[in-house]
Amino acid sequence: MNRPLVLSLTPALLEHAPILANLLELYAHDFSEFHSLAIGADGKFGYKSLPLYWSEPNRHPFFVRVDGRLAGLALVKRGSEITGNPTVWDMAEFFILRGCRRRGIGTLAAREVWQRFPGPWEVRVMQSNLLANLFWERAISHFIGEAIQPVCVEKDGQNWQLFPFESRRVI
């Protein structure tokens, strides 16, 4: 008999920055299949905005853990990258390790993030990332209790699927 997985979403502290940076390298590697990312001479993709998650109050870095083990990350920030709306919560980055996918972990982690930050949300996905688009459409629809259709948006030469929705505080 399989026991249920224990998922936790824990804030990443400044001293955890190197661990988060390592996970972001795996994320960038996966993402490079859909988006042209240049790898540096040091063999790393890098993530220049990472230090901002400990210096700006409207940025929140999290680890996703399953049964106490690292399973991914979520980077949340205030302010839309697409519409410019400063009050929107933005899922800046979201990554679940390949070995943890297709088990409901990503959906549970996303739900936990949305419950912690009630209000208007925008989840944006590159149009070329078909699996991510399917994941977000299902996860958000399940969370809000109705089907959601993405809005197609072009910004700075990139085509995005934008999922705007509202998260309400859970009591």
Side-chain angles (χ1 to χ4, degrees):
M1 174 160 91
N2 291 339
R3 65 176 181 74
L5 299 172
V6 177
L7 182 127
S8 63
L9 187 72
T10 57
L13 305 175
L14 180 57
E15 57 264 27
H16 301 136
I19 300 167
L20 206 56
N22 288 341
L23 287 172
L24 284 163
E25 289 297 315
L26 297 172
Y27 170 71
H29 177 264
D30 279 6
F31 199 69
S32 69
E33 183 178 348
F34 310 102
H35 186 63
S36 178
L37 294 177
I39 196 163
D42 62 356
K44 295 180 181 180
F45 291 99
Y47 191 82
K48 65 180 180 173
S49 300
L50 186 58
L52 300 177
Y53 282 85
W54 295 280
S55 64
E56 293 184 1
N58 284 324
R59 291 183 186 254
H60 308 277
F62 294 97
F63 290 119
V64 176
R65 295 182 187 277
V66 174
D67 295 335
R69 294 190 181 119
L70 282 175
L73 63 85
L75 299 181
V76 177
K77 70 178 195 60
R78 182 75 95 169
S80 170
E81 291 289 324
I82 300 294
T83 65
N85 182 340
T87 66
V88 165
W89 287 110
D90 175 60
M91 188 75 78
E93 311 295 350
F94 186 85
F95 172 68
I96 300 297
L97 293 168
R98 287 183 180 211
C100 296
R101 294 179 190 168
R102 294 181 185 38
R103 295 172 31 198
I105 293 166
T107 300
L108 289 172
R111 173 181 287 276
E112 179 69 26
V113 169
W114 297 327
Q115 288 175 342
R116 288 189 189 197
F117 298 94
W121 271 87
E122 289 181 2
V123 173
R124 59 192 152 78
V125 185
M126 294 189 79
Q127 209 167 38
S128 58
N129 192 343
L130 301 177
L131 290 177
N133 277 293
L134 288 172
F135 166 77
W136 288 113
E137 185 174 340
R138 279 188 296 232
I140 296 167
S141 293
H142 188 305
F143 179 71
I144 64 174
E146 62 184 78
I148 187 168
Q149 293 298 315
V151 177
C152 298
V153 179
E154 186 275 329
K155 172 122 184 190
D156 300 329
Q158 293 288 335
N159 292 315
W160 298 91
Q161 299 282 51
L162 183 68
F163 296 90
F165 65 99
E166 186 81 19
S167 173
R168 303 211 185 324
R169 183 169 304 279
V170 175
I171 301 173

